[in-house]
């Protein structure tokens, strides 16, 4: 599998959350996913036990079932976040445009998730419900670098992805669909993966560094 000619800085600044530019008609070879996962295994981990798992879903019926759960979760999220989005829509014209664009892109993925050829679900041993924040941070901080490494590896091979989580509103239902032992293993995300329509991605619009960095004190 050929790798795109990207510098490290290019890779880090152009690995976007890809939704509308996923090629829904092109299959993804299993060996490419395996290459990306092999690289993801080298991510830093907070535990020497490396208690990660990656569930790769390609079966159309399984993807359809996951997409149904995902849509329910998206509706739940929309209800919870409605006041926040209303506030952002009313704050300024530029912010309203940003929110509308984000919601349109998100809705596209909601509508087409079942068509995305590969769903990757990073998981980790152990659950964090009702645990202290430090325990939760350690568990999430162990699996998320591996998920991000997978996404970077995918980008370098012409694949697009997006770190999503709507299905986690109904994680136990997803666990039943996928045969995941819910009491022992926690799902961290659902990453839809497909080749992209074109590979020319640009850095995203971000706030100036000066507005978000703090030295020594807040």
């Amino acid at each position: 599998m050929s790798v795109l000619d990207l510098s490290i800085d290019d890779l880090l600044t152009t690995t976007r959350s890809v939704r509308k530019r996923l090629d829904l008609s092109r299959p993804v070879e299993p060996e490419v996913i395996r290459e990306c996962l092999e690289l993801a295994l080298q991510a830093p981990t907070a535990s020497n036990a490396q208690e990660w798992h990656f569930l790769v879903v390609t079966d159309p019926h399984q993807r359809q079932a996951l997409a149904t759960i995902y849509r329910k979760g998206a509706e739940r999220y929309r209800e919870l976040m409605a006041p926040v989005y209303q506030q952002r829509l009313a704050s300024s014209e530029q912010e309203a445009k940003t929110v509308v664009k984000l919601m349109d892109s998100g809705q596209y993925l909601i509508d087409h998730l079942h068509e995305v050829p590969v769903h990757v679900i990073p998981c980790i041993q152990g659950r964090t419900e009702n645990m202290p924040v430090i325990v939760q941070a350690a568990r999430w901080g162990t699996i998320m670098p591996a998920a991000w490494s997978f996404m970077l590896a995918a980008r370098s091979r012409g694949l697009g992805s997006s770190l999503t989580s709507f299905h986690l509103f109904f994680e136990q239902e997803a666990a039943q669909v996928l045969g995941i032992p819910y009491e022992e293993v926690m799902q961290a995300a659902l990453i839809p993966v497909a080749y992209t329509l074109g590979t020319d991605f640009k850095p995203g619009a971000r706030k100036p560094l000066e507005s978000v960095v703090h030295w020594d004190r807040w």
Side-chain angles (χ1 to χ4, degrees):
M1 175 63 196
S2 61
V3 177
L4 300 180
D5 184 19
L6 298 171
S7 70
I8 294 174
D9 285 1
D10 287 338
L11 181 63
L12 291 171
T13 57
T14 64
T15 300
R16 310 252 54 85
S17 290
V18 184
R19 303 178 183 93
K20 286 190 171 182
R21 287 181 60 182
L22 295 174
D23 189 341
L24 304 178
S25 63
R26 182 180 175 184
V28 177
E29 303 86 351
E31 56 269 25
V32 180
I33 298 297
R34 292 186 64 88
E35 283 183 14
C36 296
L37 290 173
E38 287 282 2
L39 292 169
L41 292 183
Q42 294 300 318
T45 172
S47 170
N48 289 332
Q50 190 183 322
E51 298 166 318
W52 312 327
H53 299 270
F54 295 91
L55 202 160
V56 181
V57 183
T58 58
D59 178 81
H61 299 292
Q62 294 289 76
R63 287 189 282 120
Q64 181 68 67
L66 279 177
T68 299
I69 296 170
Y70 187 87
R71 292 184 187 105
K72 288 197 303 179
E75 186 60 35
R76 176 76 64 83
Y77 182 82
R78 188 179 292 117
E79 293 170 359
L80 287 173
M81 295 298 292
V84 175
Y85 282 125
Q86 288 301 322
Q87 184 178 23
R88 291 182 63 186
L89 286 167
S91 63
S92 70
E93 183 178 351
Q94 183 58 46
E95 182 67 5
K97 288 181 179 178
T98 299
V99 172
V100 169
K101 183 178 179 180
L102 176 64
M103 294 177 69
D104 181 60
S105 177
Q107 188 60 51
Y108 180 87
L109 184 60
I110 292 167
D111 293 339
H112 294 276
L113 182 62
H114 62 286
E115 299 175 63
V116 181
V118 181
H119 298 176
V120 174
I121 301 181
C123 304
I124 190 164
Q125 291 283 150
R127 305 204 60 83
T128 60
E129 289 90 339
N130 305 314
M131 299 294 285
V133 171
I134 188 171
V135 176
Q136 296 186 42
R139 301 308 288 170
W140 292 104
T142 295
I143 184 61
M144 284 308 183
W148 178 233
S149 288
F150 169 79
M151 294 171 69
L152 290 171
R155 161 65 174 145
S156 75
R157 286 157 174 76
L159 297 167
S161 62
S162 180
L163 189 74
T164 72
S165 55
F166 288 155
H167 83 293
L168 295 180
F169 278 112
F170 303 97
E171 184 194 355
Q172 190 164 8
E173 185 176 341
Q176 292 173 347
V177 168
L178 299 169
I180 296 172
Y182 176 79
E183 300 297 332
E184 304 168 19
V185 175
M186 182 170 64
Q187 299 168 56
L190 189 160
I191 306 175
V193 185
Y195 282 104
T196 55
L197 300 170
T199 59
D200 55 327
F201 288 85
K202 299 178 180 179
R206 295 292 185 263
K207 296 178 180 178
L209 178 63
E210 291 75 13
S211 68
V212 298
V213 70
H214 310 273
W215 294 91
D216 296 327
R217 295 175 63 87
W218 186 270

